[in-house]
Amino acid sequence: MITNETVKYIASLSRLHIEEDRLPVFRAELESILQYIDQLAKLEVANVPPTSHVFQMENVFRDDVVAPSLTPAEAMSFAIDQHSGHYKVPKVIE
Amino acid sequence: MDFETVIGLEVHLQLNTATKIFCACRNDFGLPANTCVCPVCLGLPGTLPVLNRMVLRSGMKVGLALNCTINTFVKFDRKNYYYPDLPKGYQISQFDFPIAKKGFLDFITGGQEKRIGITRAHMEEDAGKLIHDDAVNATLVDYNRTGTPLIEIVSEPELRSAQEAYDYLSALKLTLQYLNVSDCDMEKGSLRCDANVSIRPKGEEKLGTRTELKNMNSFSAVKRAIEHEAERQARLVFSGGSVVQQTLLWNEEKSVTVPMRSKEQAHDYRYFPEPDLVPFTLTEAAIAAVRGELPELPFVRLRRMVAQYGIMDYDAIILVSDRAFADFFEAAALTGVDVKSLVNWMNGPLMKELKERRCRVTDLKLKPLDLAALVRRVNDGTISNLAAKDILADIVDSGKDVDLVIREQGLAQVSDEDELGKIVDDILKEHPQVVEQIRSGKANAAGFLVGQAMKRMQGKANPKILNEFIQRRVMHV
């Protein structure tokens, strides 16, 4: 059973802000997803090999060869805020 | 009640590949901030990671060296958490199909052999580096380290003391150094260690509640942190309290453990298979090929060298403490030189020269054959120990031939009886009262005459021959 508290907890893990009046909407959606999973769990899968990826591909590698990185200007162009070549973010330690 | 400490260690090893784990940025330490970043390791939308072939290979090497089973099916998973050091909002790691599982490490602790189980070893990417800058009242982020390949090595909770943990770490580091997959430098952060610590009454099977210790930046800090934490837990239990499961940071300056803020402790990582990477299958042949490339590992080598050369554990431990040093010894031993003398010269004078120069034996011009020649010249009496040490100090840097240096510097001991005879006769004439003492039975008075003769010959006489010679002259002339 998904409760409003569960929705709040999942939202906090994902750093999402959800208004109190929207909680029942998400609760219902998560509930229906879980019901679908329950439905899948009832299927007979004893003879189906487990799938970990939807593509039937494996062993895709890259050789250990250096290619140019971004220039500092390019790297910093994504920064909302910066300081002496670093990305600057709100303090995460008191 | 007697308590025992139960310790499990998690070691993170940065691999020394040329590039990062999932992109072609340089994998290097100490470069200017954010100069080794690209759209992949910055986690920009629309980019895809591709596994570096060498990372899987190093992972296999580490797993095999730790006597693990290599999984023939390997996949990556996402470990989700939000923190500024992680640009994607998740770390690509391995959850249920790691590269290696169920192994062990043998080592010597407290003079005894000990085997500690290895739970698993898995591949993952490192996070960025955060700098908490009070001056700008913000956190600054350097993503150069993001995507550095890591192998995490998890031990079973089978270590029973801080000292054992220290010895396990030393043995693990040595094994990893033999593999040449990492710098293994704790100061640079290429080797990092977290410890899980709990206590339980002696004889109890059930594990106590554990705490996780982080932020130790040397093996001795790991040892001190474990000692401190085990004592803290014991005091807590004795005073009627109970241990709370939490993550603690070791404060080296104050020698205390401090709880991490609860906000940073949300251990709900919601792992799921990484959809951007397809799985990997390893054939038994590929695994066998990597196994075939492994060097002889330190513990096995230690055992073999003790048996093969008849040397002491103590000496063998020093020899194998650096792969190149042990290689040097074995190359020199091949010449058939007396092994016992060779060990003494390796672990004594040669080690001293290395420590003075803060370098490895491969950095020297000295070759194994040169050291063998030097030891041989000492043993056949050509040169004195003292002269040999001077020659060694010369040839470690110059790489000159030992016999050449002996001739050039005239260091050969004089054993020629004619030459000795002249000098000894002079000495005897100058000290008739000492000669009388010897004749009257004080044999050790000869020591003075040996010293006088040595002085005159600038140390180039063989003291044993000189002593015999003097005794003979005194008695018969």
Side-chain angles (χ1 to χ4, degrees), chain B residues 183-416:
Chain B
D183 287 354
C184 301
D185 186 340
M186 261 189 124
E187 262 174 48
K188 286 201 246 161
S190 54
L191 189 83
R192 309 197 284 265
C193 177
D194 300 336
N196 291 309
V197 179
S198 63
I199 57 167
R200 63 183 174 192
K202 274 218 170 104
E204 170 70 55
E205 291 278 311
K206 218 173 126 248
L207 291 171
T209 304
R210 68 187 161 89
T211 55
E212 186 178 2
L213 305 181
K214 286 179 179 284
N215 201 38
M216 293 85 78
N217 54 16
S218 67
F219 285 179
S220 47
V222 173
K223 191 177 152 192
R224 284 194 295 276
I226 292 171
E227 276 164 358
H228 174 275
E229 177 58 13
E231 273 170 36
R232 186 192 71 87
Q233 291 185 9
R235 271 202 308 275
L236 201 61
V237 172
F238 272 127
S239 62
S242 56
V243 177
V244 180
Q245 183 167 350
Q246 59 183 336
T247 303
L248 301 162
L249 295 180
W250 173 245
N251 183 321
E252 178 72 24
E253 271 169 44
K254 296 180 187 156
S255 285
V256 290
T257 48
V258 188
M260 230 178 170
R261 291 186 319 150
S262 59
K263 229 175 153 182
E264 295 158 0
Q265 291 202 40
H267 280 308
D268 195 341
Y269 294 128
R270 296 152 293 143
Y271 281 95
F272 64 84
E274 168 56 79
D276 288 345
L277 287 163
V278 294
F280 299 84
T281 52
L282 304 172
T283 62
E284 292 298 340
I287 296 168
V290 173
R291 192 192 295 277
E293 281 173 25
L294 290 185
E296 184 182 29
L297 294 166
F299 190 78
V300 175
R301 186 171 205 179
L302 174 79
R303 283 280 151 264
R304 174 181 61 76
M305 284 176 57
V306 167
Q308 181 176 341
Y309 301 108
I311 56 179
M312 308 292 288
D313 268 11
Y314 170 81
D315 282 321
I317 287 170
I318 299 176
L319 289 174
V320 302
S321 66
D322 175 8
R323 186 177 163 186
F325 197 65
D327 288 347
F328 192 98
F329 167 80
E330 296 210 81
L334 269 181
T335 63
V337 69
D338 176 56
V339 167
K340 202 171 166 348
S341 314
L342 180 63
V343 171
N344 291 339
W345 277 90
M346 291 280 307
N347 291 351
L350 181 59
M351 187 61 97
K352 179 171 158 271
E353 300 295 336
L354 291 174
K355 281 194 174 139
E356 274 172 12
R357 288 167 180 74
R358 293 166 179 272
C359 71
R360 295 182 71 195
V361 72
T362 39
D363 300 327
L364 301 177
K365 287 238 175 86
L366 181 80
K367 296 286 166 278
L369 285 180
D370 301 326
L371 185 67
L374 185 75
V375 173
R376 197 168 278 123
R377 286 289 167 259
V378 176
N379 286 358
D380 69 13
T382 307
I383 49 175
S384 68
N385 253 303
L386 208 63
K389 281 180 189 165
D390 288 341
I391 296 173
L392 182 67
D394 175 338
I395 62 177
V396 288
D397 296 322
S398 68
K400 276 189 188 163
D401 180 75
V402 171
D403 287 332
L404 184 72
V405 176
I406 294 173
R407 273 201 306 280
E408 272 181 2
Q409 305 189 8
L411 290 168
Q413 297 183 120
V414 179
S415 307
D416 180 337

Side-chain angles (χ1 to χ4, degrees), chain A residues 9 13 15 52-53 58-67 69-70 76 78 83 85-87 89 91-92 94, chain B residues 18-20 23-25 34 37 50-53 82 131 134 136 139-141 261 268 275 277 279-281:
Chain A
Y9 175 63
L13 285 176
R15 302 293 192 271
S52 66
H53 203 282
E58 54 184 32
N59 299 348
V60 177
F61 291 109
R62 179 177 61 74
D63 286 333
D64 188 22
V65 178
V66 178
S69 297
L70 294 174
M76 280 302 132
F78 317 110
H83 181 78
H86 292 77
Y87 296 91
V89 301
K91 225 173 183 179
V92 289
E94 282 146 6
Chain B
T19 64
K20 293 185 177 182
C23 64
C25 285
N34 297 305
V37 293
V50 187
L51 181 64
N52 181 343
R53 191 183 293 284
Y82 279 100
I131 302 152
D134 286 328
V136 291
T139 293
L140 304 177
V141 194
R261 291 186 319 150
D268 195 341
L277 287 163
F280 299 84
T281 52

